[in-house]
Amino acid sequence: MAEIFVKSPKFCHAQYVRFLGGEGSIKSFKYESETWTYIIEMTLGPEPNFGRLGGETTVLLNEADLRAV
């Protein structure tokens, strides 16, 4: 019987991270296909003078794409 070792995630819930194209905080994460996948809510920039049309943007990224702030 083969043993499967799953490494622990590099980042934790609510941790602030950077990635190509932006930065944000981790909302959740899951181990899939031998890598950790993170759901990140991007940080809102300054509000434009015409107001906001929607909420935050959420992205799905692999652990290799993230850097701690």
Side-chain angles (χ1 to χ4, degrees):
M1 183 170 172
E3 291 185 35
I4 298 173
F5 295 99
V6 176
K7 66 177 186 164
S8 58
K10 186 176 179 182
F11 305 102
C12 60
H13 182 72
Q15 184 175 356
Y16 202 71
V17 293
R18 284 193 175 152
F19 49 91
L20 187 62
E23 50 190 41
S25 63
I26 296 175
K27 294 300 170 192
S28 66
F29 50 92
K30 182 178 177 181
Y31 190 74
E32 296 181 314
S33 302
E34 300 180 15
T35 187
W36 286 97
T37 303
Y38 296 82
I39 294 177
I40 300 153
E41 186 174 82
M42 292 181 70
T43 305
L44 291 175
E47 184 169 347
N49 52 357
F50 54 82
R52 294 211 191 276
L53 298 176
E56 295 79 9
T57 299
T58 304
V59 294
L60 180 68
L61 294 170
N62 288 327
E63 188 171 76
D65 298 327
L66 302 175
R67 303 287 177 258
V69 173

